[in-house]
């Protein structure tokens, strides 16, 4: 379609309709022989293989990252300063207990 769009635009510079270009592209594709379609079909198969590998890797990362996501959710409820404040309060309460003795 990319190649066809370029040539169609050169031949029809005043056409602004996407649907006309799409229809003409479909008609052109139907008129091509199997031999003429072969390079495009091979290119599409190559892109599909690459896509399949990438989506499999993405899905693997998504399913493997579940344990980290739960820990991040707990921490995301508090800002870093609030988390540090909690640590300081715990340390302070231990010191108070020592002073009471």
């Amino acid at each position: 379609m990319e190649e066809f769009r370029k040539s169609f635009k050169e031949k029809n510079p005043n056409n602004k309709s996407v649907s006309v270009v799409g229809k003409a592209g479909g008609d052109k594709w139907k008129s091509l022989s199997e031999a003429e379609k072969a390079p495009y079909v091979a290119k599409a198969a190559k892109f599909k293989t690459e896509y399949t590998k990438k989506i499999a890797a993405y899905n693997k990362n998504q399913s493997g990252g579940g344990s980290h996501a739960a820990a991040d959710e707990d921490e995301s409820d508090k800002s870093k300063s609030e988390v540090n404040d909690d640590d300081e309060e715990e340390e302070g309460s231990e010191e108070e207990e020592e002073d009471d003795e």
Side-chain angles (χ1 to χ4, degrees), residues 11-52:
K11 294 176 185 174
N12 304 294
N14 295 330
N15 180 43
K16 303 292 183 197
S17 176
V18 174
S19 62
V20 172
V21 177
K23 182 157 178 47
D27 291 341
K28 175 73 173 176
W29 180 256
K30 290 176 186 175
S31 70
L32 294 176
S33 68
E34 291 301 317
E36 292 171 317
K37 290 181 182 179
Y40 303 108
V41 172
K43 192 175 187 180
K46 178 184 170 189
F47 285 138
K48 184 175 182 178
T49 302
E50 291 174 10
Y51 169 80
T52 303

Side-chain angles (χ1 to χ4, degrees), residues 65-74:
S67 61
H68 297 297
D72 290 344
E73 277 184 33
D74 293 340

